[in-house]
Amino acid sequence: MGVLSNLRICDFTGQLAGAGATRTLAAFGAQVIRIEDPVTEGRWDILRGMEPFVDERRGGEFGGGFQNHNVEKLAITLNLRTERGRELLAEIVARSDVVAENFAAGVLARLGFPYERLREIRPDVIYVSNCGFGHRGPYSAFKTWGPIVQACSGLTFTSGLPDLPPAGWGYSYMDHHGANFMAFAILAALVHRNRTGEGQWVDMSCTDAGAAMLGPVVLDYTVNGRPARRPGRPDSNHDEWGSMAPHNVYAALGDDEWVAIACRDDADWERLAAVVDEDWVRDPRYATLAGRLAAQADLDDRLGAWCAARDKFAVQAALIGAGVPGVAVQRPGERIEDDPGTTDFGLWPWVEHELMGRLRVDGLPYHLAETDWSIERATSLLGGDNDLVYGDLLGLSAAEIDDLRAEGVI
Amino acid sequence: MATTGPHGSPEPPPAPAADALGPLTGLRVVELAHEATEFAGRMLADFGAEVILVEPPGGARQRTYGPFVDDVPDPERSLWFWHYNTNKFGVVLDLDVAADRETFAGLAATADVVLEGETPGRLAALGIDEPDLRAANPGLVWTSVTPFGRTNPRALEPMTDLTLLANAGPVWSCGYDDHTIPPVRGGGNQGFQTAGIHAATATLVAVLHRDATGRGQHVDVSMHAANNVTTEFATYGWLVAGETVQRQTCRHAAARPTQFTMSTDKDGRFCPTGVPPRAAKEFRTLIDWIDDRGWRDDFPAIAFLELGEERGGVNFADIATDPLVGEIFGAGRDALIFIASRLTSYEFFLEGQTRGLALPVIYSPEEVVEDPHFRARGFAVEQHHPGIDRTVTYAGAPVTMDASPWRWQRHAPTLGEHQHLVDGPARPQSS
């Protein structure tokens, strides 16, 4: 029994930008009924059949990302092309607090369930639609995936080094945050509903959310007239606002090994200088932030040379030990297996999947003292919870459920 | 069936009533000013919570962060502080002074939520930590946002946005194909904001529990953990298959290299061309686009696009084994690069998307707020700022809610602007 165990979600989400939202709520006990199309075997969610794989087996039950994003949810099938399928969906909606989806804008409406219809069925329903450009505005029909969202919201541009193409994010950063803002919005809408009795439509546009994450950069333009697109920018390993120096990623000993070091103030610099303890650190130019910024290129060269001769974790131990933010750029295996920052936090829970066996997945990055999250259950196979949902929840008999299967409704 | 708007867009949600209040209206949050909490506090304030920012004498450290209005450093001119503290109230308390600690305790007794990012142990040493104040307010939700969580072995390590993103995973995945170039930290304080979104979310879970049971609790957020679970395939590729991704220029880090897909537009701007077409109708779309622009003679490989359409598309799996499929696939990629090179990035995006192709434009942040779509959604908000007597345009709502909307309410507080909230007689707790 979790803190949200009275909450039921009629869930059409997929990929990460949607599935990641209902995953969080499921980890707190919400009953998330994930609805998939039996005709396409749920392949609308392309992650179902995509790498990573635990072994040589392939197919819709073996996508590692899909498993990660759908723990603690129920899996049912429902064919909305059929009249009976639409009737059953109406019955599920009537019993649901939330309807969540991240189809392209308008898809659920074309399936027969626009917001007005959902509200007829369930007057206080919280309907959350999540797509790249939202349901309003000239680009609402445009197609996106994570990197497009990041490009169109300013996040790709602001990640890079001078005179090079944008580096971008190297992953679908905004799929994570599309999901995270979506979870926040669902919870906020529940707070509102619990106090007022009123449901609503939450129109989540991932590009809005992305653009909202660059506030100070926008203000520098709108107040100071200084665009981010200007020579020498972006320069995102240095501090954007000249508040810290040194502040960079430096090569460490070994192949493709790196450290990141930031001196927040002159005191940090003095501690760093004591660790490095070479003649150059006593250059009086470096004593003040203004001096270090003016000589940043030299400073980067000299500190870089010091780092290049050292193991990245040795640098981390020496600098952290001295109270200076200076750490290894960790590879996945290092931060997942050997870092007490994650392992002692219990960040990688295990689930048992019917076909794939024991799997580790992402946990949630917080603990609640009394009603903490729990991730123990892998998602069921396609349609694996049909009997539970159509039987226990909707009250259909085993024979009726068999008929639905035979007729291709589920 | 759905009706469509003038741009072929689906029926929009209803507009909120002009006087509609945010979903968290009535929730009182006391935030100890800290860069670890400022984004979470802002989210709660944006959606209606009464967030009282408690700053030390002289102001929060974030008031010293640039950029500054007209580049003049001043505690009242930090645009960083303005952005993250919009919609909050502000008071000044010196927690090193007993009387102010009493005031803080009194304020916490009236609060639904305390949000703080203090170094673990500091508040306990001052006698004003969560366990000290719990008895006076059993329903209090207390959210701590710290680098590693309060009880982790690494709890007392220092951290900045750069070192957070480097140590927790994101930096490993970001950068360039050339691995002699350092990996890259994405700009914009994203590591701290990532922790903030999670903190706000976890806080609302605890608020819902409190609303149902009357019981508050401690919420312990780890910024390092938050960024560790925000790296997509880099994490689950390791967890599931033991794979280590490698960074690539402006595309997903991957365990196996993927093709470079960047073009430059006619102005020399970088322009990613996305995933090359494979379906027959996508080949037809490219052929039509080239013909509509009258560029057929400049792109001889159009014959391969026509072949791609005739064959009913190509299968990605056949590229390695069938040279003709490889040629067709390559022609699709080259067609996108060719078209991009002859248009502005914006034309490429707009024309491509209008033709149904999932293509991006790389906007800088200022270009986003001026884009017609974001304007039509009312994303940017203009407000007169009395402190500088200018109208200021701010980034706006991350999420739109029709019944209980995000709303601009007030500028970030000047130092001690709402001191009356603590100097007067204690307010009775609202129900």
Side-chain angles (χ1 to χ4, degrees):
Chain A
M1 286 293 284
V3 56
L4 300 181
S5 57
N6 290 325
L7 184 69
R8 182 174 297 124
I9 298 177
C10 170
D11 185 19
F12 287 100
T13 64
Q15 329 294 350
L16 170 58
T22 53
R23 173 191 211 274
T24 296
L25 306 176
F28 283 107
Q31 186 182 59
V32 176
I33 302 174
R34 192 166 187 281
I35 301 174
E36 296 181 280
D37 177 20
V39 178
T40 62
E41 297 184 329
R43 292 301 191 98
W44 171 75
D45 189 339
I46 58 169
L47 295 183
R48 255 199 172 280
M50 273 178 69
E51 59 176 2
F53 302 110
V54 290
D55 53 28
E56 71 288 348
R57 289 174 294 171
R58 301 291 180 268
E61 302 292 2
F62 296 101
F66 176 82
Q67 296 303 328
N68 188 69
H69 306 331
N70 290 291
V71 291
E72 292 288 334
K73 301 179 189 176
L74 301 178
I76 69 166
T77 47
L78 187 57
N79 183 353
L80 294 176
R81 297 170 199 82
T82 65
E83 183 63 33
R84 182 67 180 131
R86 291 190 292 273
E87 287 170 14
L88 289 169
L89 178 60
E91 293 195 43
I92 294 170
V93 170
R95 292 164 174 81
S96 296
D97 302 276
V98 176
V99 175
E101 53 100 342
N102 64 316
F103 295 128
V107 167
L108 192 61
R110 287 196 293 278
L111 290 169
F113 291 87
Y115 176 56
E116 294 70 24
R117 172 79 182 118
L118 297 173
R119 202 170 43 177
E120 274 170 26
I121 300 167
R122 171 93 184 200
D124 66 350
V125 71
I126 294 165
Y127 168 51
V128 190
S129 58
N130 175 347
C131 57
F133 285 103
H135 276 64
R136 287 179 296 115
Y139 304 162
S140 59
F142 286 7
K143 295 175 182 167
T144 65
W145 43 295
I148 295 178
V149 168
Q150 287 144 220
C152 296
S153 56
L155 286 159
T156 298
F157 180 87
T158 46
S159 176
L161 302 180
D163 307 319
L164 289 170
W169 275 84
Y171 55 99
S172 289
Y173 176 67
M174 280 312 298
D175 279 9
H176 280 288
H177 286 327
N180 292 333
F181 274 110
M182 186 177 181
F184 173 84
I186 291 170
L187 293 165
L190 283 166
V191 171
H192 179 79
R193 188 204 65 177
N194 289 353
R195 290 180 187 172
T196 65
E198 181 180 41
Q200 60 187 308
W201 181 351
V202 178
D203 175 29
M204 170 85 211
S205 158
C206 283
T207 47
D208 282 2
M213 299 188 77
L214 290 164
V217 191
V218 169
L219 283 175
D220 194 32
Y221 173 72
T222 61
V223 174
N224 291 328
R226 182 188 296 118
R229 191 188 291 277
R230 65 184 194 273
R233 294 301 177 107
D235 184 13
S236 63
N237 282 351
H238 285 134
D239 181 67
E240 289 111 313
W241 312 112
S243 301
M244 292 185 257
H247 187 284
N248 212 342
V249 176
Y250 303 96
L253 194 63
D255 180 22
D256 207 13
E257 303 291 359
W258 306 86
V259 293
I261 299 172
C263 283
R264 296 161 293 180
D265 48 27
D266 294 344
D268 267 350
W269 166 252
E270 286 162 21
R271 290 188 279 264
L272 174 73
V275 171
V276 173
D277 196 27
E278 294 178 355
D279 281 346
W280 65 268
V281 299
R282 289 179 271 279
D283 186 332
R285 288 185 303 167
Y286 298 151
T288 64
L289 174 62
R292 291 193 298 279
L293 285 170
Q296 188 159 247
D298 289 345
L299 183 57
D300 280 342
D301 284 348
R302 287 166 151 168
L303 187 54
W306 183 81
C307 294
R310 286 165 175 79
D311 173 78
K312 65 180 179 179
F313 288 113
V315 172
Q316 174 171 320
L319 294 182
I320 293 294
V324 177
V327 296
V329 173
Q330 293 202 90
R331 294 165 183 257
E334 293 164 344
R335 63 187 170 79
I336 291 169
E337 306 299 347
D338 304 322
D339 177 356
T342 68
T343 56
D344 273 42
F345 200 77
L347 194 60
W348 316 114
W350 290 90
V351 298
E352 178 83 26
H353 184 263
E354 205 172 323
L355 298 176
M356 295 169 76
R358 263 163 65 79
L359 291 173
R360 267 187 307 174
V361 297
D362 284 321
L364 302 186
Y366 36 74
H367 291 298
L368 277 64
E370 300 211 356
T371 60
D372 205 11
W373 54 271
S374 166
I375 293 176
E376 296 175 346
R377 188 181 177 282
T379 189
S380 307
L381 303 185
L382 183 76
D385 297 301
N386 281 347
D387 289 339
L388 179 78
V389 172
Y390 295 117
D392 294 357
L393 179 65
L394 299 193
L396 302 188
S397 69
E400 288 172 306
I401 295 171
D402 283 344
D403 288 346
L404 293 175
R405 281 199 186 92
E407 292 159 11
V409 175
I410 65 174
Chain B
M1 294 298 110
T3 56
T4 56
H7 304 278
S9 58
E11 191 173 12
D19 58 349
L21 298 173
L24 307 180
T25 300
L27 197 74
R28 175 177 264 204
V29 179
V30 175
E31 178 190 350
L32 291 181
H34 197 284
E35 60 184 326
T37 58
E38 58 191 353
F39 192 70
R42 169 87 200 261
M43 284 177 70
L44 298 173
D46 280 1
F47 288 95
E50 177 197 36
V51 177
I52 302 172
L53 185 74
V54 178
E55 296 186 73
R61 181 186 174 103
Q62 300 80 260
R63 289 183 183 272
T64 69
Y65 292 1
F68 296 97
V69 178
D70 302 333
D71 297 329
V72 178
D74 181 286
E76 301 298 353
R77 298 173 78 92
S78 164
L79 295 171
W80 178 293
F81 184 85
W82 284 15
H83 172 71
Y84 287 113
N85 295 285
T86 290
N87 283 341
K88 299 178 188 175
F89 297 90
V91 302
V92 174
L93 293 175
D94 185 349
L95 298 184
D96 291 322
V97 172
D100 281 11
R101 288 198 293 274
E102 289 279 312
T103 305
F104 170 71
L107 196 56
T110 71
D112 301 284
V113 175
V114 167
L115 181 60
E116 57 86 13
E118 298 301 311
T119 302
R122 181 187 181 223
L123 296 176
L126 293 170
I128 49 171
D129 200 6
E130 185 253 354
D132 305 307
L133 305 183
R134 167 71 53 213
N137 186 357
L140 182 63
V141 171
W142 185 295
T143 301
S144 304
V145 189
T146 61
F148 294 90
R150 276 186 157 195
T151 60
N152 193 265
R154 300 184 64 185
L156 298 179
E157 294 186 12
M159 177 183 275
T160 71
D161 188 68
L162 170 68
T163 65
L164 167 56
L165 288 164
N167 207 228
V171 167
W172 174 258
S173 294
C174 302
Y176 298 95
D177 292 310
D178 178 353
H179 283 199
T180 65
I181 300 171
V184 172
R185 173 195 67 142
N189 196 33
Q190 302 303 326
F192 276 51
Q193 292 184 155
T194 292
I197 296 174
H198 283 290
T201 302
T203 298
L204 289 192
V205 172
V207 165
L208 283 165
H209 179 67
R210 193 283 312 266
D211 286 353
T213 65
R215 293 182 59 83
Q217 61 184 312
H218 184 239
V219 178
D220 188 23
V221 182
S222 161
M223 301 166 69
H224 184 66
N227 285 275
N228 261 278
V229 295
T230 312
T231 66
E232 211 194 359
F233 191 100
T235 291
Y236 61 74
W238 176 268
L239 291 174
V240 171
E243 293 183 332
T244 298
V245 299
Q246 303 294 334
R247 61 190 185 277
Q248 309 190 96
T249 304
C250 206
R251 58 202 194 280
H252 273 53
R256 286 159 289 283
T258 60
Q259 273 189 318
F260 189 66
T261 57
M262 186 80 79
S263 184
T264 46
D265 75 1
K266 73 176 193 184
D267 298 328
R269 289 190 178 188
F270 295 108
C271 186
T273 51
V275 181
R278 277 168 284 175
K281 76 172 185 188
E282 293 173 321
F283 286 111
R284 170 47 50 189
T285 299
L286 285 180
I287 294 162
D288 289 344
W289 195 356
I290 290 168
D291 279 339
D292 291 350
R293 280 283 184 169
W295 293 337
R296 174 173 280 261
D297 292 345
D298 302 330
F299 189 72
I302 199 164
F304 286 107
L305 304 181
E306 287 164 339
L307 209 50
E309 187 192 20
E310 279 168 33
R311 291 172 58 121
V314 294
N315 193 337
F316 200 77
D318 298 335
I319 292 170
T321 53
D322 184 339
L324 185 58
V325 170
E327 290 284 349
I328 294 168
F329 187 76
R333 187 187 65 241
D334 292 347
L336 286 167
I337 291 172
F338 166 78
I339 295 168
S341 72
R342 296 212 162 186
L343 300 172
T344 67
S345 292
Y346 182 68
E347 288 167 341
F348 180 68
F349 160 72
L350 192 67
E351 291 184 20
Q353 284 277 7
T354 303
R355 291 171 185 271
L357 299 175
L359 296 175
V361 55
I362 295 183
Y363 271 149
S364 62
E366 63 274 8
E367 290 159 359
V368 176
V369 295
E370 298 192 340
D371 172 276
H373 174 80
F374 290 85
R375 282 185 179 275
R377 283 180 69 81
F379 175 72
V381 288
E382 292 187 351
Q383 292 292 328
H384 182 257
H385 197 291
I388 56 171
D389 195 21
R390 278 188 233 169
T391 297
V392 175
T393 303
Y394 293 83
V399 179
T400 60
M401 302 178 71
D402 72 44
S404 57
W406 181 98
R407 202 176 280 297
W408 172 277
Q409 292 171 93
R410 61 189 54 79
H411 292 281
T414 57
L415 188 60
E417 182 178 348
H418 307 98
Q419 201 66 20
H420 61 273
L421 291 172
V422 291
D423 283 351
R427 278 179 15 155
Q429 185 171 5
S430 54
S431 56

